[in-house]
Structure formats: C-alpha cells, structure tokens
Amino acid sequence: MTSSVPGSVDPARLQDVLDGRWAHIRRAARTELAGDRFTAVYGETGEQARERVTRLLGELPADLGVTLAFPTEYGGSFDPGGAVVAGEMLAHLDLSLLVKAGVQWGLFGGAVMALGTRRHHDAYLRDIMAADLLGCFAMTETGHGSDVQQLRTTCTYYPRTETFDLHTPHEAARKDYIGNAARDGRMAVVFAQLVTPSGRHGVHAWLVPIRDADGRPMPGVTIGDAGPKAGLLGVDNGRLTFDHVTVPREMLLDRYGQVAPDGTYTSPIRNDTRRFFTMVGTLVRGRVTIGGAASSAVKNALTIAIRYGDTRRQFTAPDRDREVALNDYLAHQRKLLPALATTYALHFAQEELVATLHGVQTAEGPVDDHRQRELESRAAALKAAQTWHATRTIQMCREACGGAGYLAENRLPALKADTDVFTTFEGDNTVLLQLVAKGLLTGYRDAFGSLDGWGRAAFVADQVREMVLERTAARSLVERLVNAVPGRDEQVALTDRGWHLKMVEDRERHVLDGVIRRLRRGAATKKDRPFDIFNDVQDHVVKAAEAHIDRVVLEAFVAGVERATDPAARALLSRMCDLYALSTIEADRGWFLEHGRLTPARSKAVTAVINDLLQELRPHLRTLVDAFAIPDAWLNCAILREEPARQEAMAAHDDAVRSADATATDLEIVPAQ
C-alpha cells in the first residue's frame, strides 16, 4: 500500500525531480527569458505576429536552443537533448516562436547538419545558427504528407551540365504547409525523387535558393501563402512550386547518397527503403520537440485552470458560510487531477525519451540500427500520446474556467488553437501509431515501413513478447514489482504498484498476440493481398500501439518516483502515479472486464479508490502545478493577474455575509418561508 501524503509538500522539492538532467537549461530559461518580452501577444494580425516572431527569433539567447544541437566546431554545444529541453521551455512563452525556431534550427539547420557533408556545413551552418540565413524544410506535398516515400517532386541529374533539374510535375506535387516559406525563407531543403541516367534512387534532399537578396522568388520558383490558419499566426506557412529549376550538383545533401559528375550514383546504404528511413530518422528530434512542446502547453493550461479553480467560487453548501471553490467539487477534481497525473507521467516519459535521443545522437562510431529504430518508434508513440492529451486537456481546462476560459486574454483559446495542428504535423498521429505497431510486430526489419511480410505466418509470439518489452529506465525495478504480485485469483491492493504494472503489461502482450493471430488467419485466406491482410486488422493494430504507450509511460513514471530523494515529494509523486495507473485502467475497464482481468466488483472498487485519491490529493493541487515553475509572466493570463484582487474581494464579501447573518440573528429576524 502506498504511503499517504504529508500535510505539506515543498513544490521546490518536486521541481527538483521534474527539472531532471537538464535542470541547468530550465533554470537558465527562467532567468534569461524572464518577463514578457518573448510571450505571445493577443489581438495581433497575422502580419504583425509574423513580424514580431521573426524579430524575436534573432534575439533569442544562443545558449537556449540556437546553438545547443550544432557541432562545437561551428560554435555550438552539441547537446541535442538540451536543445529539446530548451524548446520545451520556449513553448511555455509562445508556440509560434517555438515552431519558428524549430523550423529554422531543428528542421532546416538540422537537415543541413544531418544530411549534408563538410562542405555544406562550412558554407551554411554559421549563417543558419545566426539566423542570417532563414530557411525552410520542404518535404510535405499537397498530395503526399504521411507517405513521404512516394513524393512526386523530381530532381533529375544531367551529366552534360553537371546540374539537377528540380521540377513539380503537377499541382498535387506542390510543397505545402511549409514553415518560413510564405515570408522569410531564403533557402529550402527540398525533398524529391532522385533520378540519374541509371534510374530512380528514391527520396533525397537538396539545398535550393528560393529567394534572392531582395526577397524576390528565384527564377522558376513560385511562392504562395498557405492562407489564414486557426493558430500559430506567427509562422509563415507557404507553398512552393518548382518549374525546371537548375540546381548545382554540389547542392545535393549527399551524406547518404552521392552523384558523381558523370551521373554515377553511390550510397553506403544499398536498399532504397532503408536509406530513406535512415535519412528521415536523423531528423527525429523535431518529433520529440513537438511532443515536449505539447506537454508544455498542457502544463500552462492546467496551471491556469487549477489556480483559477482555487479562487473561483460557485454555490453554497448548507454547512458553510461561503460559496464553494470550484476545486472542491468532485466533478471538477475528476476533470483536473487525472489529467494532471497523466501530464506528470508524460513528463517523465519525455525525459526518458530525450535522454535516449541524446545518447543515440552523441554516440561515437556507427549508429546502432536497433537503438535508432527503437528511438524512432518511441518518439512516434509519445508524440501521439502527448499531442492528443494536449487537445483533450486544453479543451477541458477551457471549460473548467467557464466564460473566462473563452477570452483571449486568458491564454487558453490560443493554447487550444496553436496546439491543435500538433496532432497532424511531424506525423499524423493515427499513422504514427501504425508505425509503432509495425515496429513491435516486425522487430524493426531492414525494410522498415514496408507492407511486405505482413501476410507471412512467420510471426512467433514468444519472440515478439521478448522484443516488445524493450528496456526502459525502470525495467529492472518493474520486473521485481511484477514478479512479486500474487496469482490472478488472489486479491491485491488496488494501489499495489506491481499490480498496476502487471495489468498494463499483460494487456499489451495479449493485444499484440491477438494482432498476430488475426494476421496469421488473414495470411491463410488472403496471402496474395498483403494490403487487405493489414487493413483488416488496423483497429487492432492501433489498440496494440496504445497499449504499448500506456505501459511505457507508466514505467517512466515509476522511474521518476524512484528518483525523488525528498520523502514528502516522493510520497506525493507516488500517489499521483497511483492515480495515473488507476485512471488508465478505469478508462479501458471494458477491455479488462471482457478479458477477465477485472471482476465487476473490483472494477467498481477502482472508481471508488480513484475518488478517495482525488480527495487526498485535493490539498496539493496548487503545489503540483507550482512545481512546474512556470513564471506568471510566461502564463500571460489576465485571470491569474487578477487572482489577489479576487481573493481579497471574496474575503470581503464573506465577511459582509457573516456580519449580516450575525445582525439578523441578533434581531431575531426569521426568513420568509
């Protein structure tokens, strides 16, 4: 049984755990970005927002994301994990600025660094880092977003001129939704199908000037604005079309594929599919950053809603002489606390992911293929979980603040609008879940992403089980806790950590085994139709990925609790972990009941224990959000600035009511019936 929470917990002790490995970057951000200089502005036009965000991009401190991921020889710190954390901090202030910075240094600069070679680095990296050369990442096309391997833009090499011909063959091949394209970009990393005299070689990337020094489109380049958007007004998303644009041979970013002057193509990776996924895998940091930014937005929203709910009062109770605070209502707690527990869980999962990313991208020698695939799968899984959680939770916080939550001055509408697209870019979430499940099922085969083999009956469930339980930070602890749980027929305390872990682990294994069985059955009847085999089990595949995410996130939370050295902070985190685990089980109680993992009585008991936890955690609501250590200026919320005045007014009102009641009693006034 988990120990109860002490009466008072210092939020600074919780903050120490949350700040984690890159605490120095979080502290520096709170200091160097203090005040409202970099916060979002309400009521701007699109052009005003773009002008402001572009100006601020050049004013960001170099040690807070600008240089962190770049090599030391170009003035960087070569700290990719730190760069992600810096992005998470920037997301607290203005998501447009975060996305603009991500396009410039994460996508554009990151592609030049990861896909280019020394000559590209020497020529461009310093200007990119200084924001003297603003650029775009031109991958997505109008007709192909998720299926990037099938892009239609072509780049054809001609040995006679030693140049490429970059061309958009039809409207569906237009580069679309491209950040920095509509207004500011001078160059673009353009992804297209490479064609040489010997044939096609799959998707590669080129550095292509799109505007001249005066900002005019280059010959053959047509630039358009993507138009008004729901949010992210400060990001100039645009469209690019290329009409037989001549590109010099040396502008091919050729780390993974080289074209000789005579047109001979060579690559260290012979398989086109594997080469493609190796290339895009080097850019995984953008996906990790977007997930972290979504979590930052959720922390902002929950802080606003919880602080507001502590001072906003509605209705009186018979035994109270003042109206009841919103946060004292069970229905309100049911909204806020499970969402807050999930936010904590995802925070620890993100920290573990960032550490993995850092380890992979700073490792010396050849990249470990298995670690890279594991990183990509985990990044896809968490990005989906974090961005969907943001969409649900920010809307819930908006409702929890009533009409005040709908006012732009209270930040929540902007958070909702700016994060809504996060479920779509850097990978559509539903597609990402299928990528996660394919990784689980295939064991990260060399032809990653291909449908080849889905119909084969060569899946071995025991092998999959071993592979799917890849190591997390708490894996050894998890195994001890799970092994200590008695058999299924014996009652275990609903707050037993081993029982929580066993439930989500058992569900993941069972669901994955079910997918394998259905694929085998499909292979027996549709062996010549691999698409139909997979499509018929797509719902089950998504369920397997979701079950996998739940298990990974819970294990990360367990590891986070273990890192807490302060006893009071550890006890509070442990109760939040209880709430997250039980809320996860409650949310899928139908599955657990259908598959005999819960009895009806025990299912009802889960809800009762959750309600008890909510009451226990209610006094700590403010502490739990204060531990995020988000400066008030960053929250940029009018109802929080009004908080002291509202508390004072409510206290004066309560005093007046008590005084009136006392006078009425003295006069023996009997209220009319």
Side-chain angles (χ1 to χ4, degrees), residues 394-537:
I394 294 171
Q395 172 63 22
M396 178 271 293
C397 290
R398 205 293 299 156
E399 294 178 20
C401 291
Y406 195 61
L407 297 177
E409 67 178 6
N410 291 322
R411 189 76 187 282
L412 294 168
L415 291 174
K416 179 176 167 61
D418 288 346
T419 57
D420 194 53
V421 75
F422 284 14
T423 61
T424 302
F425 71 28
E426 288 295 337
D428 175 271
N429 283 358
T430 301
V431 175
L432 291 182
L433 291 188
Q434 294 174 67
L435 183 153
V436 171
K438 284 184 180 183
L440 299 175
L441 289 164
T442 63
Y444 308 109
R445 290 177 180 172
D446 285 346
F448 189 73
S450 170
L451 286 176
D452 295 343
W454 282 114
R456 297 175 189 163
F459 296 111
V460 180
D462 289 340
Q463 292 177 351
V464 173
R465 286 195 193 98
E466 291 302 316
M467 183 277 299
V468 75
L469 295 176
E470 77 273 12
R471 181 166 297 278
T472 62
R475 192 64 208 161
S476 59
L477 170 64
V478 167
E479 289 170 354
R480 291 199 305 272
L481 292 171
V482 170
N483 291 337
V485 178
R488 186 185 300 174
D489 294 334
E490 298 184 45
Q491 290 295 308
V492 182
L494 292 177
T495 53
D496 183 279
R497 186 74 72 238
W499 181 74
H500 298 158
L501 293 161
K502 185 174 179 63
M503 289 286 278
V504 296
E505 182 178 302
D506 187 42
R507 179 182 55 165
E508 180 184 6
R509 286 179 164 177
H510 186 98
V511 172
L512 197 57
D513 282 348
V515 173
I516 293 168
R517 287 193 297 271
R518 289 182 64 186
L519 286 169
R520 281 175 165 166
R521 287 198 297 269
T525 57
K526 303 176 182 178
K527 57 184 177 182
D528 57 342
R529 291 148 57 193
F531 170 80
D532 289 340
I533 294 170
F534 180 68
N535 196 48
D536 287 349
V537 300

Side-chain angles (χ1 to χ4, degrees), residues 31-218:
T31 300
E32 295 187 42
L33 302 178
D36 60 4
R37 179 183 172 197
F38 292 97
T39 56
V41 176
Y42 306 123
E44 289 179 308
T45 66
E47 185 53 37
Q48 287 171 335
R50 290 177 176 185
E51 188 282 327
R52 177 182 58 81
V53 168
T54 301
R55 171 174 51 80
L56 291 176
L57 188 72
E59 298 176 6
L60 283 170
D63 59 344
L64 288 177
V66 177
T67 65
L68 283 169
F70 290 97
T72 54
E73 60 192 299
Y74 297 99
S77 304
F78 195 45
D79 184 1
V84 175
V85 172
E88 293 173 16
M89 299 306 288
L90 190 58
H92 285 298
L93 292 108
D94 185 349
L95 287 159
S96 281
L97 185 56
L98 174 277
V99 172
K100 185 85 169 180
V103 169
Q104 173 66 16
W105 295 305
L107 294 177
F108 176 59
V112 174
M113 184 174 68
L115 304 181
T117 50
R118 184 61 181 254
R119 70 174 184 276
H120 304 111
H121 300 168
D122 289 345
Y124 301 109
L125 277 188
R126 288 186 178 86
D127 286 343
I128 292 171
M129 291 165 64
D132 292 332
L133 174 60
L134 297 180
C136 313
F137 184 81
M139 177 182 280
T140 299
E141 294 179 357
T142 305
H144 284 86
S146 298
D147 189 7
V148 178
Q149 203 170 1
Q150 303 303 320
L151 295 177
R152 296 295 189 252
T153 302
T154 59
C155 206
T156 304
Y157 183 72
Y158 292 99
R160 184 177 60 82
T161 60
E162 295 189 14
T163 60
F164 291 95
D165 179 81
L166 177 64
H167 186 58
T168 304
H170 47 74
E171 188 172 351
R174 175 187 64 190
K175 297 298 180 181
D176 216 341
Y177 318 112
I178 308 302
N180 262 2
R183 181 182 184 271
D184 295 324
R186 293 296 184 268
M187 295 191 80
V189 172
V190 180
F191 289 80
Q193 300 288 347
L194 169 60
V195 183
T196 70
S198 63
R200 298 171 74 94
H201 303 282
V203 174
H204 288 65
W206 289 258
L207 259 176
V208 181
I210 60 172
R211 285 185 175 90
D212 62 21
D214 297 320
R216 294 185 296 261
M218 295 292 286

